[in-house]
Amino acid sequence: MSVDMILALLLFLGNVALLGLLTYKILKYGELEEDHLNPTDFAKGMNSIFPYEFGLQGLLCGLSIMAMGTSFFMLKLVLAVANSLYFAFLLSLYTSDKWKVDAAVVWSQEFRKKSQMTYLGGLAFCGVCFFLYLYNLVRALTAK
């Protein structure tokens, strides 16, 4: 197996894991709205998930940049730039401590709107990247 094939597989699997984390966040938010989860447990769960999401996105960003070194393909450039921008967004959240969920503000309307937009935006981004990574994986597997 070539390096390009291994990197394409790792990028695809990493994106699937990131999709799983974001879906888990949305499901936890649904449990909170349905009163199956108290705000303290919700805040603890969200605060424990973000470092994994941040680390995984950093890994995807690094792998995307490494994949550009193996062979140049315009899709790889688009994926590297997109991953870098999303990682920069997560880094800005991490450095300003806006990623931490406080149990006291969970029921406020502003928090709901902001968190729903953030989660759905991240899920939409990862969903689009899923198909781009899938195409990249198929292209790497079928290249001679």
Side-chain angles (χ1 to χ4, degrees), residues 58-127:
L59 181 69
L60 285 176
C61 183
L63 286 174
S64 294
I65 292 171
M66 282 176 38
M68 283 182 49
T70 59
S71 66
F72 184 75
F73 185 55
M74 196 61 169
L75 177 65
K76 290 182 181 182
L77 177 65
V78 170
L79 287 171
V81 169
N83 277 316
S84 299
L85 290 174
Y86 190 62
F87 182 67
F89 169 71
L90 290 177
L91 184 64
S92 71
L93 286 179
Y94 189 75
T95 56
S96 65
D97 281 343
K98 291 183 181 177
W99 63 276
K100 292 183 181 176
V101 177
D102 185 17
V105 298
V106 166
W107 296 113
S108 74
Q109 194 67 17
E110 180 183 325
F111 172 78
R112 284 184 184 184
K113 184 178 179 183
K114 184 188 83 153
S115 62
Q116 283 178 346
M117 292 301 290
T118 303
Y119 300 156
L120 291 177
L123 195 62
F125 169 77
C126 289

Side-chain angles (χ1 to χ4, degrees), residues 12-26:
F12 179 74
L13 292 176
N15 188 48
V16 169
L18 196 58
L19 272 170
L21 281 175
L22 289 169
T23 303
Y24 181 73
K25 279 182 156 183
I26 290 174

